[in-house]
């Protein structure tokens, strides 16, 4: 079955989008690591940031339906995977995660 692509679009207004991007930058500033993945990026955070990471990821998923955000705890660290099936969405992933665009 062929999937219908989800448009690369955000439902937030400019001010709210800017505020949310700033929240990602603040979260990234506390990251243990961030790396590009073939279709997105992974941010690894200290365990104490789980609630903040989950909240931000849920809000991002609500406004940017073209993104997939998964937050898990692995070995006492919070792992946030942000991916996009649509190649055009990967620039947004790179912006949020602070990583270069992956070659995938």
């Amino acid at each position: 079955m062929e999937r219908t692509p989800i448009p690369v679009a955000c439902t937030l207004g400019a001010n709210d989008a800017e505020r949310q991007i700033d929240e990602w930058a603040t979260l990234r500033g506390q990251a243990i690591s961030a790396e590009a993945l073939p279709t997105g990026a992974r941010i690894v955070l200290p365990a104490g940031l789980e609630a903040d990471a989950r909240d931000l990821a849920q809000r991002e998923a609500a406004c940017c339906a073209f993104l997939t955000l998964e937050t898990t705890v692995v070995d006492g660290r919070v792992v946030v995977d942000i991916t996009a099936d649509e190649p055009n969405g990967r620039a947004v992933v790179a912006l949020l995660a602070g990583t270069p665009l992956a070659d995938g």
Side-chain angles (χ1 to χ4, degrees), residues 1-9 64-68 84-90:
M1 180 197 301
E2 189 173 319
R3 276 185 54 194
T4 302
I6 297 172
V8 177
C64 292
F66 63 94
L67 296 176
T68 299
D85 289 336
E86 293 296 317
N88 291 336
R90 295 186 191 135

Side-chain angles (χ1 to χ4, degrees), residues 8-95:
V8 177
C10 179
T11 60
L12 294 178
N15 290 336
D16 290 334
E18 186 175 333
R19 225 179 345 269
Q20 198 152 291
I21 288 169
D22 289 345
E23 287 183 66
W24 281 105
T26 298
L27 197 64
R28 281 195 323 267
Q30 301 171 75
I32 295 166
S33 66
E35 66 178 308
L37 302 174
T39 61
R42 171 172 290 153
I43 304 170
V44 179
L45 301 158
L49 295 175
E50 181 180 1
D52 292 340
R54 285 189 186 279
D55 174 63
L56 185 54
Q58 287 174 342
R59 287 185 287 125
E60 194 67 44
C63 67
C64 292
F66 63 94
L67 296 176
T68 299
L69 293 101
E70 293 183 22
T71 305
T72 56
V73 177
V74 179
D75 296 329
R77 295 180 174 172
V78 180
V79 178
V80 181
D81 287 337
I82 310 168
T83 57
D85 289 336
E86 293 296 317
N88 291 336
R90 295 186 191 135
V92 176
V93 174
L95 172 69

